[in-house]
C-alpha cells in the first residue's frame, strides 16, 4: 500500500504566492539563476540556489552557501512572508496550461515506500547531483522542492478533489509563462481520512520527475535515523514532500534529439543506412511531427523525413519498445557511434516545449540532423518502473513544471 500523510506546510502568505513561486532549481544555469533573482527579495530561487547571493567565483557548494539558504528561509518566516498551518493538512495544487488542467494532491510520502519500491523509479541517479540537494535539505532542515509522483487513476480521489475545488482557492495566479496556478487547503478531517484510505488501497505510486530530489530526501532521512537510533518512524524526517497526480491528467511531451555530425557519412549514405531498419518517406519543407508510436521525424539537409520502424525490428519489451530506444539502438549507436547519449557531447536534447522550429534552428547553427520523437506515454513509464527497469536518458518531458516555494516540508 502507498503511505501518504498530511503535514503542516510552510507556504507563502496569500498575497505573496505569485512573487515567491519559482521554477525548479535545476532548469537554470548558475549565471541564469543569478540574473533571475537580481533585485528580487521574494523569489524562492534565492533559497533553492543560494550561491546567487555570493560572488560568481565563490564555491557554490561551500557550507556557508547552504547556511545562507537556511538563514533566508528562516528570515522569510519571521517576517511573515511564509506562514505555517497549525494542523497537518493535505493541499491541492492545480496547474492549467493551454486550457488543460492537472490536479495534484500535495502530501508527504513515506521514505520506507521509496526504500521498499512501493514508490517506483525509472531512472538512475548520479551521486554528484544528489550531494548538492542532500546538503541543502540537511542544513535547511526542510524539503523545498516537491517530488512529482503519479498514480493509476482513482475515481474516488478525483471526486474528493473536485468537490474541494468548488470552493474558493487559497492562491490563484498566472505565472510569467502563462500557466495558471491554484492552491486549496484540505483541513477537514473527513476529507483527509478518506484520501489517506484511498491511497492505502494503491499498490504503488511512481516518480514521474524528481528522482534526484527524492534520493536526496531519502539520504537525509537515513542520516537522521542513524543520528536518532530510537526514532519511532513518526518523525517528519521519515517522509518527503510530494505532489501526486492522476495518470489520466498528465501529459508527457516529446523529448527530441540533435546530433552534431553524421559519423563520417554523407547525407545520402546516412539515409541509405537508416533505410535498412526504417521505411523512409521524404516530406520536404513541411515540418513533420510523428503521429503515432513507431514513427520518428528527421530533419536533415533542410528536408523533413518520416521514419517508420520496420515490423521485424519492433520490440515488445517495455524498455526496448520505446521510440527513444529504437533511435538509440538502430541509429545513434550503430550508425553514429554514440554509445552513451548521457555523456557523449555529439548529441544534445531539446524539450518538446520548444517546438520543431527549434530543431530546424539548431540544424542551421551547430547540428547536422535532428530527430522529432513521438512522446513516451505515462503508462509506458509505469510499465518500465513495474518491470524494475530504467528508461533511456531524456525519455520524458513533463509540462507544466511544478513551482518551488509554494509548499515546504520542515523535517
Amino acid at each position: 500500500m502507498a503511505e501518504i500523510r498530511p503535514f503542516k506546510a510552510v507556504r507563502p502568505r496569500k498575497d505573496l504566492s505569485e512573487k515567491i513561486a519559482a521554477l525548479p532549481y535545476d532548469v537554470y544555469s548558475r549565471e541564469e539563476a543569478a540574473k533571475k533573482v537580481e533585485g528580487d527579495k521574494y523569489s524562492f530561487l534565492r533559497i533553492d540556489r543560494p550561491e546567487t547571493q555570493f560572488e560568481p567565483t565563490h564555491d557554490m557548494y561551500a557550507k556557508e552557501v547552504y547556511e545562507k539558504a537556511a538563514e533566508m528561509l528562516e528570515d522569510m518566516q519571521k517576517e511573515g512572508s511564509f506562514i505555517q498551518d497549525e494542523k497537518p493538512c493535505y493541499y491541492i495544487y492545480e496547474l492549467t496550461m493551454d486550457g488543460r488542467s492537472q490536479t495534484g494532491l500535495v502530501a508527504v510520502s513515506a521514505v520506507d515506500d521509496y526504500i521498499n519500491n512501493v514508490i517506483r523509479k525509472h531512472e538512475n541517479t548520479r551521486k554528484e547531483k544528489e550531494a548538492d540537494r542532500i546538503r541543502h535539505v540537511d542544513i535547511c532542515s526542510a524539503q523545498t522542492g516537491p517530488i512529482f509522483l503519479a498514480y493509476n487513476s482513482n475515481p474516488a480521489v478525483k471526486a474528493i478533489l473536485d468537490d474541494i475545488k468548488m470552493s474558493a482557492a487559497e492562491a490563484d495566479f498566472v505565472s510569467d509563462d502563462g500557466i495558471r496556478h491554484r492552491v486549496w487547503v484540505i483541513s477537514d478531517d473527513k476529507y483527509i481520512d478518506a484520501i489517506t484510505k484511498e491511497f492505502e488501497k494503491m499498490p504503488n505510486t511512481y516518480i514521474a520527475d524528481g528522482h534526484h530530489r527524492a534520493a536526496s530526501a531519502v539520504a537525509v532521512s537515513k542520516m537522521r535515523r542513524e543520528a536518532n537510533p530510537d526514532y519511532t518512524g513518526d518523525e517528519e524526517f521519515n517522509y518527503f514532500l510530494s505532489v501526486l497526480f492522476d495518470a489520466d491528467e498528465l501529459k508527457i511531451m516529446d523529448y527530441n534529439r540533435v546530433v552534431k555530425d553524421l559519423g563520417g557519412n554523407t547525407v545520402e549514405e546516412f539515409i541509405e543506412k537508416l533505410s535498412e531498419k526504417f521505411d523512409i518517406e521524404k516530406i520536404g519543407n513541411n515540418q513533420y511531427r510523428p503521429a503515432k508510436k513507431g514513427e520518428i521525424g528527421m530533419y536533415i539537409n533542410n528536408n523533413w523525413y518520416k521514419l517508420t520502424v520496420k515490423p521485424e525490428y519492433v520490440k515488445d519489451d517495455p524498455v526496448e519498445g520505446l521510440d527513444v530506444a529504437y533511435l538509440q539502438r538502430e541509429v545513434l549507436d550503430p550508425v553514429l557511434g554514440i554509445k552513451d547519449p548521457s555523456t557523449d557531447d555529439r548529441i544534445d536534447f531539446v524539450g518538446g516545449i520548444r517546438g520543431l522550429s527549434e530543431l530546424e534552428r539548431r540544424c542551421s547553427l551547430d547540428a547536422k540532423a535532428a530527430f522529432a520523437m513521438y512522446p513516451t506515454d505515462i503508462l509506458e513509464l509505469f510499465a518500465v518502473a513495474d518491470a524494475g527497469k530504467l528508461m533511456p536518458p531524456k525519455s520524458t518531458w513533463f509540462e507544466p513544471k511544478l513551482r518551488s516555494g509554494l509548499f515546504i516540508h520542515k523535517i
Side-chain angles (χ1 to χ4, degrees):
M1 71 176 198
E3 183 188 354
I4 64 167
R5 75 177 194 180
F7 68 109
K8 299 177 182 178
V10 173
R11 53 192 179 87
R13 199 176 72 209
K14 190 171 183 178
D15 59 310
L16 292 179
S17 294
E18 181 176 2
K19 293 181 178 180
I20 289 174
L23 281 166
Y25 74 96
D26 51 0
V27 305
Y28 298 101
S29 67
R30 181 172 185 171
E31 184 181 8
E32 289 168 339
K35 186 174 182 181
K36 185 71 177 175
V37 303
E38 189 175 356
D40 188 336
K41 69 174 186 175
Y42 289 114
S43 173
F44 198 76
L45 188 60
R46 296 158 57 248
I47 294 169
D48 256 353
R49 297 291 296 270
E51 75 274 14
T52 58
Q53 307 303 299
F54 295 81
E55 292 297 320
T57 55
H58 197 93
D59 179 6
M60 65 185 291
Y61 303 117
K63 185 179 180 182
E64 62 269 17
V65 173
Y66 299 98
E67 290 173 340
K68 182 65 175 178
E71 176 190 319
M72 289 188 290
L73 179 57
E74 184 178 356
D75 287 348
M76 289 185 77
Q77 283 185 259
K78 286 180 177 177
E79 69 191 23
S81 297
F82 281 111
I83 60 170
Q84 184 171 23
D85 291 299
E86 294 184 359
K87 66 165 287 187
C89 301
Y90 285 131
Y91 307 85
I92 294 175
Y93 180 19
E94 179 198 75
L95 301 96
T96 303
M97 176 182 176
D98 298 333
R100 183 186 64 83
S101 295
Q102 59 187 51
T103 302
L105 174 71
V106 185
V108 290
S109 295
V111 163
D112 284 333
D113 279 1
Y114 180 97
I115 295 170
N116 298 328
N117 205 36
V118 171
I119 298 173
R120 298 207 157 157
K121 310 96 178 167
H122 66 268
E123 279 183 12
N124 274 332
T125 57
R126 300 208 308 267
K127 294 300 181 184
E128 65 272 17
K129 287 190 70 175
E130 286 180 36
D132 166 52
R133 287 302 103 176
I134 287 172
R135 299 196 74 190
H136 193 282
V137 171
D138 191 35
I139 292 177
C140 289
S141 210
Q143 298 151 359
T144 60
I147 287 81
F148 181 170
L149 299 182
Y151 56 90
N152 280 299
S153 189
N154 182 297
V157 173
K158 178 175 171 53
I160 294 170
L161 301 187
D162 285 346
D163 190 25
I164 295 166
K165 284 165 59 179
M166 296 294 288
S167 61
E170 178 74 11
D172 186 347
F173 64 92
V174 177
S175 51
D176 292 343
D177 52 4
I179 296 168
R180 186 182 185 187
H181 305 262
R182 293 201 291 173
V183 172
W184 289 262
V185 179
I186 307 176
S187 58
D188 189 322
D189 288 338
K190 173 187 68 175
Y191 285 130
I192 290 173
D193 291 344
I195 290 169
T196 303
K197 287 175 181 175
E198 284 302 320
F199 274 87
E200 286 175 353
K201 299 174 186 177
M202 298 182 191
N204 301 102
T205 58
Y206 299 81
I207 299 179
D209 198 14
H211 283 78
H212 285 92
R213 288 192 293 276
S216 301
V218 171
V220 174
S221 174
K222 290 179 176 178
M223 290 162 53
R224 299 283 172 108
R225 289 177 172 186
E226 190 173 329
N228 298 275
D230 296 327
Y231 75 93
T232 65
D234 195 48
E235 298 87 353
E236 291 299 325
F237 60 70
N238 294 291
Y239 296 83
F240 63 82
L241 179 63
S242 52
V243 186
L244 302 106
F245 290 89
D246 187 314
D248 284 355
E249 294 190 3
L250 296 178
K251 180 180 180 181
I252 301 178
M253 298 188 74
D254 41 310
Y255 213 151
N256 304 315
R257 280 87 165 115
V258 295
V259 293
K260 308 294 178 63
D261 62 64
L262 300 182
N265 296 285
T266 65
V267 171
E268 293 74 17
E269 289 169 340
F270 184 64
I271 293 175
E272 178 64 25
K273 289 180 179 179
L274 265 54
S275 68
E276 296 176 13
K277 305 290 181 68
F278 298 88
D279 292 321
I280 300 178
E281 177 186 346
K282 187 174 181 179
I283 305 297
N285 293 327
N286 295 324
Q287 293 178 346
Y288 180 72
R289 184 180 297 280
K292 61 183 180 180
K293 184 173 170 58
E295 293 181 358
I296 298 171
M298 180 175 72
Y299 183 70
I300 187 170
N301 205 23
N302 298 317
N303 281 295
W304 282 92
Y305 295 81
K306 173 185 173 182
L307 310 181
T308 304
V309 182
K310 291 183 176 181
E312 59 266 36
Y313 296 105
V314 171
K315 302 284 187 180
D316 197 28
D317 181 85
V319 174
E320 295 302 315
L322 297 172
D323 283 5
V324 290
Y326 289 131
L327 182 70
Q328 177 61 36
R329 185 176 59 251
E330 311 297 357
V331 180
L332 300 180
D333 183 354
V335 182
L336 298 180
I338 297 174
K339 305 290 184 184
D340 184 353
S342 64
T343 59
D344 198 315
D345 61 8
R346 296 168 57 219
I347 187 170
D348 201 1
F349 302 89
V350 181
I353 192 70
R354 296 180 177 271
L356 299 184
S357 295
E358 176 65 12
L359 300 184
E360 294 178 335
R361 190 187 74 85
R362 288 294 301 271
C363 285
S364 70
L365 291 177
D366 61 350
K368 291 295 184 183
F371 299 95
M373 310 304 298
Y374 187 71
T376 301
D377 186 81
I378 187 68
L379 295 182
E380 290 182 306
L381 185 154
F382 284 7
V384 172
D386 284 339
K389 297 188 175 185
L390 302 175
M391 303 276 274
K394 312 293 185 183
S395 294
T396 57
W397 181 282
F398 285 93
E399 286 287 347
K401 302 293 186 189
L402 307 184
R403 267 32 180 196
S404 294
L406 291 176
F407 310 96
I408 299 163
H409 177 224
K410 301 197 79 173
I411 62 169

